[in-house]
Amino acid sequence: MSPALKYAYQPFKWIFVIPFVFLTTMFLSLCAIITGLISSPDTVDYVAKLWAKVCCGVVPLKIRLKGGRNYDKRKAYVVVANHQSMADIPAIHARLGLNIKWVMKQELRKVPLFGFACHQLGCIYVDRSNHDAAIRSIREAQMRMSATACPFFFAEGTRTRDGRLLPFKKGAFNFALDTGLPILPVTIRNSYKILPSDSLDLIPGTIELVAHPPVNTTDYTREQIDELVNRTRDLINSAL
């Protein structure tokens, strides 16, 4: 976006886009809670996808997906991606087409409506300050997931500030080895320009998602977890 268009967009963003996204999030969080009370977490996924598409549409954000034939939307994967901005979340929900269950920090559980809505969606809250408690939360979640549920990990554990890939944590890979699910590596491109970390400097644009061929975790033992981490990271990094 040119500097002139970016400047012209600012009043529209503050007067319409941000209030609309906030109110839509609260309303659809309530819908998700009600849906979860009368149905299953997988049904709540339809509400989450609607929220994502509405948010992307109002900004507006265009989401391009490359590698959609590399995975089956009817199957379960441990999805591992890089993390560039908060815009990653609606982009993934709107375009990837999987039954996503986010792995989220414990503090988000306390956000009014949103926190309980994510619980109803089947998201996994972890205490990042307590490694043992985080592992327990993830293992308990394994027993509640349906046959199509896809736990989603931002393997860096935080957002990049400059688009470069950070070191990966091992939680996603331990989860994959425990469950035997294949890992679906996903590269997210350009979103740090759309919404830089620690800011509301939101602008319209295009976010690109690259889905790589799944990595079969049954080919790895626990002693080979570093090889699994490195292979996945290399795949994600190859498309940045």
Side-chain angles (χ1 to χ4, degrees):
M1 176 178 281
S2 70
L5 286 176
K6 183 177 179 179
Y7 180 80
Y9 179 75
Q10 299 312 302
F12 177 74
K13 176 183 75 176
W14 288 107
I15 294 170
F16 180 72
V17 175
I18 291 178
F20 185 88
V21 169
F22 174 78
L23 292 173
T24 298
T25 300
M26 293 300 101
F27 173 72
L28 289 179
S29 291
L30 182 60
C31 292
I33 291 169
I34 295 171
T35 302
L37 291 173
I38 62 178
S39 188
S40 68
D42 289 355
T43 305
V44 181
D45 183 62
Y46 291 102
V47 181
K49 287 185 171 72
L50 174 62
W51 166 81
K53 290 176 180 178
V54 169
C55 289
C56 289
V58 74
V59 172
L61 295 177
K62 184 175 182 180
I63 315 300
R64 291 178 179 166
L65 173 64
K66 181 180 179 181
R69 294 184 179 180
N70 284 333
Y71 64 96
D72 187 339
K73 295 179 181 179
R74 299 165 296 179
K75 292 184 178 181
Y77 304 90
V78 175
V79 188
V80 177
N82 59 313
H83 196 10
Q84 294 196 341
S85 85
M86 292 305 295
D88 298 343
I89 296 171
I92 289 291
H93 257 308
R95 196 69 179 86
L96 210 57
L98 293 170
N99 182 10
I100 297 294
K101 310 300 178 187
W102 300 93
V103 178
M104 309 168 66
K105 60 184 180 181
Q106 182 74 23
E107 292 80 0
L108 292 175
R109 186 192 292 270
K110 300 177 183 178
V111 178
L113 288 180
F114 176 81
F116 191 48
C118 290
H119 170 76
Q120 297 293 75
L121 177 61
C123 295
I124 306 165
Y125 287 107
V126 297
D127 183 353
R128 296 195 299 186
S129 66
N130 187 326
H131 176 75
D132 291 340
I135 294 298
R136 283 197 301 273
S137 297
I138 291 173
R139 287 180 175 169
E140 288 170 4
Q142 295 173 18
M143 304 162 67
R144 301 193 302 267
M145 287 188 171
S146 70
T148 61
C150 296
F152 191 106
F153 291 78
F154 288 121
E156 297 158 288
T158 188
R159 286 165 284 168
T160 181
R161 266 57 183 173
D162 57 9
R164 290 183 294 183
L165 198 61
L166 301 173
F168 278 12
K169 299 182 183 299
K170 295 182 180 179
F173 305 94
N174 281 311
F175 187 100
L177 290 172
D178 285 345
T179 59
L181 290 174
I183 290 173
L184 179 65
V186 175
T187 303
I188 300 172
R189 298 196 296 216
N190 202 48
S191 71
Y192 76 99
K193 298 177 182 177
I194 300 293
L195 181 59
S197 294
D198 305 319
S199 81
L200 289 175
D201 193 18
L202 175 68
I203 59 170
T206 299
I207 296 175
E208 298 177 342
L209 306 178
V210 181
H212 301 274
V215 177
N216 189 352
T217 56
T218 59
D219 295 336
Y220 293 85
T221 65
R222 189 75 59 182
E223 290 72 28
Q224 296 173 303
I225 190 170
D226 288 337
E227 295 178 30
L228 179 60
V229 171
N230 291 335
R231 179 179 175 187
T232 305
R233 190 179 186 278
D234 288 345
L235 283 169
I236 292 171
N237 197 38
S238 69
L240 284 175

